[in-house]
Amino acid sequence: MSQDTNTGRRRMDQAAGLLVRTTEALLRASDETELLEQICRIGAEAGHCLCWIGYAGEGPERPVTIMARAGQSADYLDGLTVSWNDDPSGQGPTGIAIRNGQPYVVADTLTDPNFAPWRDKAERFGFRSGVALPVGEGDERIGALMYYATRPNMFDAQVVGMLMGVARNLSHGIAALRMRGRHQHVARELAESEQRYRSLVELAPDAIVVHGHGTILFANQAAIHAFGASSRSRLTGRLVLDLVHPESRDDALERLEAPPPGHILNHYRLLRLDGTPFEAEVLACSISFKGLPARLLVVRDISERTRVQETLMQTAKLATLGEMAAGLVHELSQPLNIIRLAAEGAMMLIERDKASQEFQTQQFALIAEQCERTAEIIDDIRIFSRRDTAPIQVFDAALAVRSAVEVLEGQFRPDGITVDLDLPTGPLPVSGRRIQLEQVMMNLLNNAHHALRDSKDAMPSDWTGKIAVRATRQDDSVQIVIDDNGPGIPDSMKPHLFEPFFTTKEAGRGTGLGLSVSHGLVVAMKGDLALGESPQGASFVITLPLDLHAAGPTPLPSLSPGRAPSAVSADAHILVVDDEATAAQTLARYLRELGYRVSIAGTGIEAWKLFSEDPADVVITDLRMPAGNGEQLVEKLRDYDPLLPIVIVTGHLGATERVAANLEDDRCAVLKKPVALGQLGELVTVFLRPPV
């Protein structure tokens, strides 16, 4: 057997013995510092002239701190500067191993270019080769473990593989010791907490409940009062989920099965023992109760606060709507003026027999186009016309931003203010209520508009007001920025901007609720509204978490308004229900022209009678009607035939979203008035088309 083979075998035996001894040390370790020192001593006793362990530090310099060392060349480390930064002191084996997470072998200190800054000192201390091994995995790198030898080429692949086992075991050992230390610390805190919590909770004004695995173990007097318990109806022994309203039960069950760490504050809808619901904030944390793990819940009834907040929100909406009124009247008068001019001009030429077929088609197309423009403006007024009770859904934040800009942009033009809108091409899905985000956007845009308009006289003659709105995706969040080039906000006012009733406007203009309510709405969506940095003017930044897992609403089939479709079947029977006779007759005339058989009813009761005598293939109904409204009719029709195609046509503000949320699916569509006949006709065609 050759000398090289014997040498290689000795090195392998040495590394294997080192691995065994360090593993034994890890199993016996109870202190991190002692463990590091013992690992280095074992390395020195195994024949290495130097073994040391360095921890990776934070900060711009990224220093490597020597934690332990051993060996005849240990003094080599005195005064040594090592980092894991991308600078000359971080280009050695230690820095490279920490940065890359891979071992770095110095085959010969005299020839390795990365070892040049330390070569002379290493030669004085008598070592020629070495290896640096990362300690920790991924982003959790703790530092590095280094071995040095007096001869070159002492760390081949097999030896490095053995030593990597030492480094990995050391990583797990350090993690285990730290975890054990945290556990012991928490255990001490929980023990102390258990000793004193009773004296605190019994006097607390908030309801406090302790449960173990979902069963109530303890309730203070405030909890007994809050949930309406008594000596006959006790809280202890009941299931926590019995006190949770069905609307919040899924979320509560998820947290019950997998309690998150730390103190978690959530909003829930709860139930008293008599079944009365109430809104509550629930602060939850883990404790030890009678020696067993449990969860402590602090419950605060916020029903009154919720009602006050809703009132404030509605007040802010109405205040904003009042400020927008003049602009909205102007926006609506424009398309209405075009409609009237086109209609009266066409009638005059028709009476004089001067209107060609092409001219009439153009005028009617213009009227239809302006009706669509009017409908869009009316649709946007929904944001401020009603209380928002829509359920929390996933929606596209970019569409909400665009909608808010479009409804206000026309009001900026008379004041010479331009809006620069920059939105991404893809969707920005967030969870919440779209109307509330639009309300926030419109409030911020209105504030920018007022600031620019009021400061115009103090600006240079060539100055023009500008508002920039951009939405971008930032990792797992959405960032919406609204900038203007106005006078900005004085530093003295910035700390108070989001306080209720604080306003920078003169008396009689503004309630001081806009920014406060806006901040509350964004926070309720688990986001943040803050004042941004801007060299000129004011800047506000909305940050919202992306929701990439929940599915958004299923869109209706793609329709083309204005194109008259052909009837699928001439035998198809359509029932039109509308208390406005002119609208019903016009719609019926259009459908008959397409070849359908059409019946007309003016009330829900009349419609149900006609349907009972002659069932229709498709029902088109209004919502608000005397003698049986549309919602009652739809419920009866669904009970009769769950697959019956239904088209709901409504102009009632607020009802559109409510009905859409409850009824809209692939067999029921909700359209807002004014409706394009071509769009409605194509939707009927889609509903009557046989399934593929």
Side-chain angles (χ1 to χ4, degrees):
M1 186 178 296
S2 66
Q3 184 176 354
D4 289 342
T5 303
N6 288 332
T7 302
R9 177 171 294 179
R10 283 197 302 272
R11 289 203 304 270
M12 280 297 297
D13 291 342
Q14 181 188 53
L18 181 60
L19 178 58
V20 171
R21 291 189 61 193
T22 54
T23 302
E24 293 173 349
L26 289 168
L27 295 174
R28 296 191 302 268
S30 59
D31 179 81
E32 184 174 334
T33 302
E34 291 181 1
L35 172 62
L36 300 181
E37 292 175 350
Q38 191 169 1
I39 293 295
C40 290
R41 283 198 302 270
I42 293 172
E45 291 168 1
H48 297 97
C49 63
L50 173 61
C51 175
W52 67 282
I53 298 171
Y55 276 6
E58 298 297 331
E61 301 299 327
R62 288 185 168 183
V64 175
T65 303
I66 300 170
M67 302 300 296
R69 55 181 165 178
Q72 63 185 16
S73 300
D75 293 343
Y76 163 79
L77 299 173
D78 292 342
L80 197 71
T81 300
V82 182
S83 79
W84 60 292
N85 212 348
D86 193 13
D87 58 17
S89 66
Q91 296 304 317
T94 305
I96 294 174
I98 294 175
R99 281 199 308 277
N100 298 343
Q102 299 293 329
Y104 185 90
V105 177
V106 180
D108 192 338
T109 59
L110 298 181
T111 58
D112 190 316
N114 288 327
F115 201 77
W118 304 275
R119 182 172 296 148
D120 293 340
K121 192 171 184 180
E123 188 174 4
R124 290 198 307 271
F125 280 87
F127 55 82
R128 290 284 302 277
S129 60
V131 61
L133 310 160
V135 177
E137 298 179 355
D139 294 334
E140 300 298 325
R141 292 181 197 137
I142 301 171
L145 168 63
M146 276 64 62
Y147 292 101
Y148 292 93
T150 57
R151 296 169 56 191
N153 301 310
M154 293 298 289
F155 299 96
D156 58 23
Q158 290 180 317
V159 171
V160 171
M162 285 285 189
L163 296 179
M164 272 301 295
V166 175
R168 282 192 292 268
N169 288 347
L170 178 58
S171 302
H172 298 317
I174 293 172
L177 287 172
R178 291 180 177 180
M179 184 180 297
R180 187 186 306 168
R182 288 193 295 267
H183 174 74
Q184 292 172 347
H185 177 71
V186 171
R188 286 193 299 271
E189 286 189 341
L190 290 177
E192 294 173 0
S193 174
E194 188 173 358
Q195 293 174 2
R196 62 174 179 262
Y197 93 95
R198 281 188 178 274
S199 59
L200 296 174
V201 298
E202 288 295 353
L203 299 175
D206 291 322
I208 297 179
V209 174
V210 177
H211 74 85
H213 302 292
T215 301
I216 297 176
L217 306 175
F218 169 83
N220 69 347
Q221 287 299 317
I224 293 171
H225 175 75
F227 288 100
S230 65
S231 57
R232 293 184 178 180
S233 301
R234 302 175 63 87
L235 283 179
T236 54
R238 289 180 178 270
L239 296 178
V240 173
L241 289 178
D242 291 344
L243 306 178
V244 181
H245 192 277
E247 292 179 6
S248 301
R249 198 160 290 167
D250 288 343
D251 185 39
L253 181 60
E254 179 182 346
R255 296 188 180 277
L256 193 65
E257 293 176 346
H263 295 69
I264 306 299
L265 181 65
N266 280 292
H267 176 272
Y268 289 102
R269 192 168 176 81
L270 302 181
L271 294 172
R272 308 188 202 280
L273 294 186
D274 63 0
T276 305
F278 67 99
E279 304 297 321
E281 279 182 348
V282 180
L283 178 67
C285 67
S286 296
I287 65 168
S288 176
F289 185 81
K290 295 183 178 179
L292 297 174
R295 295 283 285 177
L296 183 142
L297 310 178
V298 180
V299 182
R300 176 170 294 178
D301 188 339
I302 59 169
S303 301
E304 184 61 29
R305 191 174 80 189
T306 301
R307 283 192 290 270
V308 171
Q309 287 176 341
E310 289 176 353
T311 301
L312 288 175
M313 287 168 54
Q314 188 68 7
T315 301
K317 287 183 182 182
L318 295 178
T320 305
L321 182 60
E323 294 177 4
M324 294 166 52
L328 289 173
V329 168
H330 177 266
E331 288 295 300
L332 285 170
S333 65
Q334 292 286 70
L336 289 174
N337 184 53
I338 295 173
I339 291 170
R340 183 164 188 171
L341 291 175
E344 292 185 358
M347 286 191 298
M348 181 187 71
L349 293 179
I350 290 173
E351 290 173 356
R352 298 181 180 183
D353 200 24
K354 294 182 179 180
S356 65
Q357 182 65 39
E358 181 181 0
F359 171 77
Q360 294 180 47
T361 300
Q362 290 175 346
Q363 295 305 101
F364 282 121
L366 176 61
I367 291 172
E369 176 186 321
Q370 294 304 310
C371 283
E372 179 67 20
R373 178 181 170 187
T374 305
E376 291 176 356
I377 297 171
I378 294 173
D379 197 36
D380 286 324
I381 298 176
R382 292 179 300 110
I383 300 170
F384 297 102
S385 65
R386 63 180 180 84
R387 292 183 183 272
D388 182 26
T389 57
I392 292 177
Q393 296 177 327
V394 176
F395 66 92
D396 186 357
L399 292 181
V401 172
R402 183 182 297 279
S403 176
V405 171
E406 288 177 348
V407 74
L408 290 177
E409 191 172 14
Q411 301 185 37
F412 300 159
R413 295 193 196 99
D415 294 318
I417 298 171
T418 60
V419 180
D420 179 19
L421 180 61
D422 182 10
L423 298 176
T425 55
L428 299 173
V430 298
S431 179
R433 294 182 174 94
R434 172 175 168 172
I435 286 179
Q436 292 183 349
L437 180 58
E438 291 177 351
Q439 177 185 351
V440 173
M441 286 297 306
M442 295 179 78
N443 180 67
L444 296 175
L445 289 169
N446 268 323
N447 287 347
H449 176 206
H450 296 159
L452 294 174
R453 182 187 61 196
D454 296 345
S455 62
K456 190 172 183 179
D457 294 339
M459 294 295 184
S461 57
D462 58 347
W463 176 86
T464 57
K466 296 179 181 179
I467 300 175
V469 180
R470 63 183 183 276
T472 57
R473 179 171 176 171
Q474 305 284 342
D475 297 327
D476 57 352
S477 65
V478 175
Q479 190 175 83
I480 304 167
V481 181
I482 303 95
D483 293 324
D484 67 63
N485 65 338
I489 300 170
D491 291 340
S492 59
M493 295 183 177
K494 290 180 180 179
H496 308 287
L497 278 180
F498 299 109
E499 296 177 2
F501 305 109
F502 177 82
T503 178
T504 59
K505 300 174 183 177
E506 62 188 38
R509 291 187 54 205
T511 63
L513 293 172
L515 285 178
S516 174
V517 170
S518 296
H519 185 269
L521 292 175
V522 175
V523 171
M525 295 174 66
K526 296 181 174 58
D528 182 56
L529 171 60
L531 189 64
E533 296 292 335
S534 177
Q536 180 184 7
S539 175
F540 287 89
V541 181
I542 301 170
T543 305
L544 295 171
L546 278 169
D547 192 331
L548 302 176
H549 305 293
T554 303
L556 285 172
S558 177
L559 304 177
S560 304
R563 180 174 62 84
S566 58
V568 174
S569 171
D571 298 329
H573 178 205
I574 313 293
L575 174 59
V576 177
V577 189
D578 199 322
D579 62 327
E580 182 64 48
T582 303
Q585 291 291 348
T586 302
L587 180 55
R589 187 182 305 115
Y590 172 76
L591 293 171
R592 287 178 181 134
E593 184 64 27
L594 294 181
Y596 297 116
R597 181 167 64 89
V598 183
S599 300
I600 299 176
T603 68
I605 294 176
E606 182 185 355
W608 177 245
K609 181 180 179 182
L610 285 176
F611 185 88
S612 301
E613 297 171 353
D614 184 10
D617 298 297
V618 178
V619 175
I620 303 172
T621 181
D622 193 4
L623 278 184
R624 301 188 71 182
M625 297 177 294
N629 62 39
E631 290 186 60
Q632 294 171 338
L633 174 63
V634 171
E635 290 177 3
K636 286 186 176 182
L637 293 172
R638 276 293 171 92
D639 290 339
Y640 175 85
D641 182 1
L643 299 180
L644 175 69
I646 301 173
V647 180
I648 298 173
V649 179
T650 179
H652 179 40
L653 296 175
T656 306
E657 286 78 13
R658 186 184 68 252
V659 174
N662 295 334
L663 297 175
E664 192 169 23
D665 54 32
D666 59 350
R667 305 301 290 169
C668 179
V670 180
L671 301 180
K672 296 185 288 291
K673 294 181 180 179
V675 176
L677 285 175
Q679 182 185 38
L680 182 61
E682 188 169 347
L683 185 57
V684 170
T685 302
V686 171
F687 277 154
L688 289 175
R689 187 175 295 134
V692 179

